[in-house]
mmCIF file of all heavy atoms in Angstrom:
data_model
loop_
_atom_site.group_PDB
_atom_site.id
_atom_site.type_symbol
_atom_site.label_atom_id
_atom_site.label_comp_id
_atom_site.label_asym_id
_atom_site.label_seq_id
_atom_site.Cartn_x
_atom_site.Cartn_y
_atom_site.Cartn_z
ATOM 1 N N ALA A 10 1.085 24.612 5.405
ATOM 2 C CA ALA A 10 1.329 25.992 4.757
ATOM 3 C C ALA A 10 1.941 26.826 5.863
ATOM 4 O O ALA A 10 1.603 26.860 6.979
ATOM 5 C CB ALA A 10 0.098 26.435 4.216
ATOM 6 N N PRO A 11 2.934 27.733 5.364
ATOM 7 C CA PRO A 11 3.474 28.787 6.258
ATOM 8 C C PRO A 11 2.382 29.568 6.816
ATOM 9 O O PRO A 11 1.455 29.946 6.055
ATOM 10 C CB PRO A 11 4.529 29.513 5.463
ATOM 11 C CG PRO A 11 4.123 29.354 3.991
ATOM 12 C CD PRO A 11 3.344 27.976 3.969
ATOM 13 N N ALA A 12 2.342 29.838 8.113
ATOM 14 C CA ALA A 12 1.375 30.704 8.664
ATOM 15 C C ALA A 12 1.383 32.068 8.090
ATOM 16 O O ALA A 12 2.370 32.675 8.000
ATOM 17 C CB ALA A 12 1.568 30.819 10.228
ATOM 18 N N ALA A 13 0.200 32.428 7.498
ATOM 19 C CA ALA A 13 0.085 33.729 6.913
ATOM 20 C C ALA A 13 0.040 34.764 7.977
ATOM 21 O O ALA A 13 -0.489 34.542 9.005
ATOM 22 C CB ALA A 13 -1.230 33.736 6.111
ATOM 23 N N ALA A 14 0.622 35.909 7.559
ATOM 24 C CA ALA A 14 0.606 37.054 8.506
ATOM 25 C C ALA A 14 -0.870 37.423 8.752
ATOM 26 O O ALA A 14 -1.650 37.449 7.690
ATOM 27 C CB ALA A 14 1.447 38.100 7.957
ATOM 28 N N PRO A 15 -1.297 37.742 9.980
ATOM 29 C CA PRO A 15 -2.689 38.070 10.200
ATOM 30 C C PRO A 15 -2.976 39.387 9.511
ATOM 31 O O PRO A 15 -2.136 40.192 9.317
ATOM 32 C CB PRO A 15 -2.735 38.208 11.749
ATOM 33 C CG PRO A 15 -1.391 38.402 12.209
ATOM 34 C CD PRO A 15 -0.405 37.701 11.186
ATOM 35 N N ALA A 16 -4.171 39.448 8.940
ATOM 36 C CA ALA A 16 -4.595 40.562 8.107
ATOM 37 C C ALA A 16 -5.625 41.326 8.819
ATOM 38 O O ALA A 16 -6.626 40.829 9.351
ATOM 39 C CB ALA A 16 -5.008 40.127 6.690
ATOM 40 N N TYR A 17 -5.504 42.671 8.734
ATOM 41 C CA TYR A 17 -6.470 43.531 9.387
ATOM 42 C C TYR A 17 -7.887 43.260 8.624
ATOM 43 O O TYR A 17 -7.946 43.339 7.391
ATOM 44 C CB TYR A 17 -6.119 45.031 9.199
ATOM 45 C CG TYR A 17 -7.102 45.978 9.676
ATOM 46 C CD1 TYR A 17 -7.474 45.980 11.013
ATOM 47 C CD2 TYR A 17 -7.673 46.982 8.815
ATOM 48 C CE1 TYR A 17 -8.420 46.940 11.495
ATOM 49 C CE2 TYR A 17 -8.532 47.938 9.227
ATOM 50 C CZ TYR A 17 -8.890 47.932 10.609
ATOM 51 O OH TYR A 17 -9.849 48.852 11.031
ATOM 52 N N PRO A 18 -8.931 42.982 9.339
ATOM 53 C CA PRO A 18 -10.153 42.432 8.785
ATOM 54 C C PRO A 18 -11.192 43.499 8.251
ATOM 55 O O PRO A 18 -12.133 43.128 7.639
ATOM 56 C CB PRO A 18 -10.768 41.635 9.741
ATOM 57 C CG PRO A 18 -10.368 42.238 11.025
ATOM 58 C CD PRO A 18 -9.041 42.950 10.830
ATOM 59 N N GLU A 289 -5.599 50.091 10.629
ATOM 60 C CA GLU A 289 -4.833 48.933 10.370
ATOM 61 C C GLU A 289 -3.474 48.910 11.082
ATOM 62 O O GLU A 289 -3.114 47.959 11.779
ATOM 63 C CB GLU A 289 -4.627 48.757 8.829
ATOM 64 C CG GLU A 289 -3.763 47.474 8.419
ATOM 65 C CD GLU A 289 -3.691 47.466 6.894
ATOM 66 O OE1 GLU A 289 -3.683 48.509 6.202
ATOM 67 O OE2 GLU A 289 -3.763 46.278 6.447
ATOM 68 N N TRP A 292 -4.033 48.382 14.678
ATOM 69 C CA TRP A 292 -4.393 46.933 14.854
ATOM 70 C C TRP A 292 -3.132 46.079 14.906
ATOM 71 O O TRP A 292 -2.964 45.151 15.662
ATOM 72 C CB TRP A 292 -5.427 46.566 13.792
ATOM 73 C CG TRP A 292 -5.889 45.131 13.819
ATOM 74 C CD1 TRP A 292 -6.928 44.686 14.631
ATOM 75 C CD2 TRP A 292 -5.320 43.964 13.275
ATOM 76 N NE1 TRP A 292 -7.086 43.473 14.445
ATOM 77 C CE2 TRP A 292 -6.117 42.832 13.656
ATOM 78 C CE3 TRP A 292 -4.265 43.785 12.448
ATOM 79 C CZ2 TRP A 292 -5.979 41.565 13.093
ATOM 80 C CZ3 TRP A 292 -4.054 42.506 11.798
ATOM 81 C CH2 TRP A 292 -4.859 41.371 12.298
ATOM 82 N N LEU A 293 -2.195 46.355 13.927
ATOM 83 C CA LEU A 293 -0.968 45.502 13.798
ATOM 84 C C LEU A 293 -0.146 45.765 15.084
ATOM 85 O O LEU A 293 0.455 44.841 15.612
ATOM 86 C CB LEU A 293 -0.122 46.052 12.603
ATOM 87 C CG LEU A 293 -0.748 45.507 11.200
ATOM 88 C CD1 LEU A 293 -0.103 46.283 10.076
ATOM 89 C CD2 LEU A 293 -0.706 44.032 11.132
ATOM 90 N N GLN A 296 -1.385 43.577 17.721
ATOM 91 C CA GLN A 296 -1.096 42.213 17.511
ATOM 92 C C GLN A 296 0.349 41.996 17.867
ATOM 93 O O GLN A 296 0.867 40.802 17.684
ATOM 94 C CB GLN A 296 -1.382 41.822 16.068
ATOM 95 C CG GLN A 296 -2.651 42.094 15.461
ATOM 96 C CD GLN A 296 -3.823 41.451 16.181
ATOM 97 O OE1 GLN A 296 -3.757 40.209 16.317
ATOM 98 N NE2 GLN A 296 -4.699 42.237 16.658
ATOM 99 N N LEU A 298 2.914 43.335 16.200
ATOM 100 C CA LEU A 298 3.706 43.174 14.927
ATOM 101 C C LEU A 298 4.397 44.469 14.629
ATOM 102 O O LEU A 298 4.035 45.566 14.978
ATOM 103 C CB LEU A 298 2.744 42.817 13.762
ATOM 104 C CG LEU A 298 2.092 41.545 13.945
ATOM 105 C CD1 LEU A 298 0.931 41.419 12.933
ATOM 106 C CD2 LEU A 298 3.072 40.394 13.829
#
Side-chain angles (χ1 to χ4, degrees):
Y17 178 61
E289 181 176 35
W292 182 86
L293 288 169
Q296 310 298 307
L298 298 168

